[in-house]
Amino acid sequence: MSTIQVLILSIFIAFLILENYGYGYWMISRPIFAGPLIGLLLGDLPTGLLVGGSVELMYMGVIPVGGSVPPNAQIAGILSTVFAILNGGNAEVGIALALPIGLLAQLLIMFAWNLNIILIHGADKYVQAGDDKKVERMQLCGLIVFFLVFFIPTFLAIQFGSEFVNSVVASMPQVLTDGLKVASGILPAVGMAMLLKMMNFRKYWAFFALGFVCSVYLGLNVLATSIIALSMVFAMYTMRKEDSDDGFGDDFESGEEDTASGEKRLNQKVLKKVFLRSFFTMTTINYERYCSLGFCYSMIPALRILYPEQKDFQEAMLRHNEFFNCHPYTGNAVIGVSLALEEQRAAGRAISGEAISSTKAALMGPLSSIGDSVFKATFMTIFAAIGAALALDGNPAGPFVFLVPNVLLNVCSRWLFIKYGYELGTNLVVKMKGSIIIDKFVEGATIVGMMVVGAMIVGFVNLNVGCVWMIGEKEIILQDIINSLMPSLLPLLLVLSYYWILIKNKKGMYVCIIASFVLGIAGKAVGLF
């Protein structure tokens, strides 16, 4: 590729990855979608599908929760696809490079988080002065920070890295390349073990086992297992509902009279402005106050209407430039509730600024947990598994099976959380916590997720021993003996072993990653695989 082509490709890649923090969490930079997209641009869609699907499985359980910055799946998936295609469609090379690239990207993102601390301190003086225009500019400067952090290493990697990778590949001994192939089949077990850790495996292990059995003994794929799991969840809910009177409708009927009365000053036009700005809440995410400036940025259109007096407007901006960390979707419920409280305070009701700040702090934890466990660990995973399965079969519909539901979730959940958070005010979360609707929803989502992970092991974790002995004239194949005990027994034991390592060791993810490579390469060297 020429320097100009590399430059254009690097700009495109940086802009694509920017969505993860910069402009809205659209999932277009996830490996399952970005890999095939890069493959299409470079004229090798099959390799893009294969590498994207494989890297998605490797990083499926490696997702940022709270303030963590894990190895980055987006950069790993995209650059792995580029390197695989530039090396003649060698998918194994791209897959093998996915983890070291992801670890390097982790350091880059942590660097960007630290750079953003400079931006938020620069914005503080404008917040104190009530200069909302300059506050907005400082927030949007986070886009530049993340873009440059993604663009510069990407350009250097593609410009100078392809020849280096070519030379490395040419010098690799056969046992190493074959070992990397084995390791690429083992690595998805790391992501699945991470998911088990996040989804309360100790409580819901029976559903995990059921999903595994459905796939092993009934031959059902991930989609069929997902449908069975959903049917089970609805059946369980229906039977419980017959034994009690606490249905979904009852959970939300009581207490609506507590909603603040009076004329609303924030119309749909203002709420939509807040909604659109909410896609940029993570643009200046940092280690000091996380999404504080992003929250303030989202609230500004409403605060300007509620507080025409400059002094009151300044106080409100200061109030919403405090520490804030929540899932980007459920965090909009906090925005909605804050809008309702600010409206009541502006109308002269006895609501203090401290009460608004305390309400935000109280809601961050539970709403973030719901977002991380339901939206990240379960919803995204189910469609990623189905999409990856299709992509690995060379089906170009796979990336869209993943993307479309996640885009709809992104848009609809953000809008509904703001809309109903504002309309119901603090009563919304009181009702949700006081009822069992959230417990039912989380439980159902976890059951489906557990069964899906159980089914995924069979199709996505490849670990087959190659030991063969001759006793007399009879050939003894070790893998056949293992299969006679239970098909896919080794992948199952591998995932459970990784799960045990993750719960026992704080650095367990890195231990599992290293173990995967050692097992693959060493196992191939001694003839185990």
Side-chain angles (χ1 to χ4, degrees), residues 313-329:
F313 178 66
Q314 289 174 235
E315 291 179 358
M317 280 211 300
L318 282 169
R319 193 159 48 244
H320 295 294
N321 192 32
E322 301 167 339
F323 177 94
F324 182 78
N325 185 32
C326 193
H327 186 278
Y329 300 171

Side-chain angles (χ1 to χ4, degrees), residues 80-344:
S80 295
T81 304
V82 171
F83 282 130
I85 294 173
L86 293 182
N87 282 274
N90 194 338
E92 288 78 15
V93 171
I95 294 170
L97 289 171
L99 284 169
I101 291 173
L103 292 170
L104 176 61
Q106 177 186 26
L107 299 177
L108 294 174
I109 292 173
M110 292 170 68
F111 177 62
W113 279 40
N114 283 299
L115 286 179
N116 282 339
I117 294 176
I118 300 174
L119 291 181
I120 66 164
H121 282 295
D124 284 345
K125 59 182 179 181
Y126 300 128
V127 171
Q128 293 173 354
D131 190 341
D132 54 309
K133 297 301 181 184
K134 290 183 178 179
V135 170
E136 293 167 352
R137 290 171 192 165
M138 294 300 291
Q139 167 67 7
L140 295 178
C141 280
L143 293 171
I144 300 174
V145 171
F146 274 115
F147 179 85
L148 292 176
V149 167
F150 295 145
F151 166 73
I152 295 174
T154 298
F155 176 80
L156 295 175
I158 298 175
Q159 178 70 9
F160 303 106
S162 59
E163 292 184 5
F164 172 74
V165 173
N166 272 321
S167 63
V168 170
V169 173
S171 63
M172 280 184 178
Q174 188 66 34
V175 67
L176 180 59
T177 56
D178 290 344
L180 290 175
K181 291 180 182 179
V182 175
S184 67
I186 295 174
L187 285 168
V190 181
M192 294 175 194
M194 287 287 292
L195 289 172
L196 294 182
K197 180 184 176 184
M198 294 182 63
M199 292 193 292
N200 197 355
F201 176 73
R202 291 181 179 179
K203 180 178 180 180
Y204 294 99
W205 66 267
F207 295 99
F208 166 82
L210 180 59
F212 179 78
V213 168
C214 285
S215 186
V216 167
Y217 292 107
L218 300 181
L220 300 179
N221 59 23
V222 173
L223 179 58
T225 304
S226 301
I227 294 172
I228 291 175
L230 284 170
S231 301
M232 288 178 55
V233 168
F234 281 108
M236 291 167 59
Y237 168 69
T238 302
M239 288 186 289
R240 288 178 183 176
K241 188 175 181 181
E242 290 177 353
D243 296 332
S244 64
D245 295 324
D246 53 2
F248 278 98
D250 298 334
D251 291 330
F252 280 98
E253 287 175 1
S254 61
E256 209 165 319
E257 66 275 9
D258 295 329
T259 306
S261 58
E263 183 180 352
K264 294 184 180 296
R265 298 171 61 184
L266 302 179
N267 55 31
Q268 290 284 309
K269 184 178 179 180
V270 176
L271 291 181
K272 287 179 180 177
K273 286 183 179 178
V274 175
F275 160 70
L276 292 174
R277 286 179 174 231
S278 73
F279 288 96
F280 296 86
T281 52
M282 298 177 67
T283 300
T284 52
I285 191 169
N286 60 87
Y287 285 112
E288 183 177 315
R289 298 205 300 266
Y290 287 81
C291 300
S292 61
L293 188 59
F295 193 98
C296 179
Y297 173 79
S298 299
M299 294 284 291
I300 284 175
L303 297 179
R304 179 55 80 183
I305 291 175
L306 294 174
Y307 298 106
E309 295 292 330
Q310 185 67 8
K311 180 181 178 181
D312 296 332
F313 178 66
Q314 289 174 235
E315 291 179 358
M317 280 211 300
L318 282 169
R319 193 159 48 244
H320 295 294
N321 192 32
E322 301 167 339
F323 177 94
F324 182 78
N325 185 32
C326 193
H327 186 278
Y329 300 171
T330 54
N332 277 21
V334 186
I335 294 177
V337 171
S338 298
L339 291 175
L341 293 176
E342 290 289 0
E343 185 176 58
Q344 294 174 46

Side-chain angles (χ1 to χ4, degrees), residues 13 16-17 29 31 34-35 38 73-83:
I13 290 174
L16 191 66
I17 301 173
S29 62
I38 295 297
Q74 286 82 352
I75 300 177
I78 292 174
L79 288 184
S80 295
T81 304
V82 171
F83 282 130

Side-chain angles (χ1 to χ4, degrees), residues 242-515:
E242 290 177 353
D243 296 332
S244 64
D245 295 324
D246 53 2
F248 278 98
D250 298 334
D251 291 330
F252 280 98
E253 287 175 1
S254 61
E256 209 165 319
E257 66 275 9
D258 295 329
T259 306
S261 58
E263 183 180 352
K264 294 184 180 296
R265 298 171 61 184
L266 302 179
N267 55 31
Q268 290 284 309
K269 184 178 179 180
V270 176
L271 291 181
K272 287 179 180 177
K273 286 183 179 178
V274 175
F275 160 70
L276 292 174
R277 286 179 174 231
S278 73
F279 288 96
F280 296 86
T281 52
M282 298 177 67
T283 300
T284 52
I285 191 169
N286 60 87
Y287 285 112
E288 183 177 315
R289 298 205 300 266
Y290 287 81
C291 300
S292 61
L293 188 59
F295 193 98
C296 179
Y297 173 79
S298 299
M299 294 284 291
I300 284 175
L303 297 179
R304 179 55 80 183
I305 291 175
L306 294 174
Y307 298 106
E309 295 292 330
Q310 185 67 8
K311 180 181 178 181
D312 296 332
F313 178 66
Q314 289 174 235
E315 291 179 358
M317 280 211 300
L318 282 169
R319 193 159 48 244
H320 295 294
N321 192 32
E322 301 167 339
F323 177 94
F324 182 78
N325 185 32
C326 193
H327 186 278
Y329 300 171
T330 54
N332 277 21
V334 186
I335 294 177
V337 171
S338 298
L339 291 175
L341 293 176
E342 290 289 0
E343 185 176 58
Q344 294 174 46
R345 174 176 169 80
R349 294 185 175 84
I351 296 178
S352 65
E354 292 76 11
I356 296 175
S357 297
S358 298
T359 301
K360 286 171 55 181
L363 298 182
M364 280 190 295
L367 287 173
S368 187
S369 297
I370 293 169
D372 290 335
S373 62
V374 176
F375 295 152
K376 282 185 181 178
T378 303
F379 186 92
M380 184 181 77
T381 298
I382 290 173
F383 289 100
I386 298 171
L390 294 172
L392 292 177
D393 287 337
N395 191 333
F400 296 98
V401 169
F402 165 79
L403 184 69
V404 172
N406 278 283
V407 169
L408 291 175
L409 176 69
N410 187 7
V411 175
C412 295
S413 63
R414 285 181 189 265
W415 170 246
L416 292 176
F417 275 126
I418 284 183
K419 182 175 184 292
Y420 288 108
Y422 168 65
E423 289 182 359
L424 302 179
T426 53
N427 288 326
L428 171 67
V429 179
V430 170
K431 292 173 189 176
M432 291 172 71
K433 289 186 69 177
S435 71
I436 61 173
I437 186 171
I438 289 299
D439 293 335
K440 288 179 180 179
F441 184 56
V442 172
E443 181 183 59
T446 304
I447 289 172
V448 175
M450 279 291 177
M451 290 188 63
V452 166
V453 174
M456 285 164 52
I457 290 176
V458 180
F460 299 144
V461 181
N462 298 313
L463 185 61
N464 296 309
V465 296
C467 298
V468 179
W469 299 284
M470 292 297 298
I471 300 178
E473 296 183 355
K474 187 175 182 180
E475 187 179 59
I476 305 298
I477 302 175
L478 181 57
Q479 186 61 52
D480 289 345
I481 296 174
I482 296 173
N483 289 339
S484 67
L485 297 174
M486 178 185 289
S488 297
L489 177 61
L490 292 180
L492 174 64
L493 293 177
L494 181 67
V495 171
L496 294 178
S497 298
Y498 282 175
Y499 165 75
W500 183 81
I501 292 173
L502 290 172
I503 62 175
K504 294 294 183 180
N505 193 324
K506 291 183 179 179
K507 302 290 185 180
M509 183 182 68
Y510 300 99
V511 173
C512 294
I513 289 172
I514 295 172

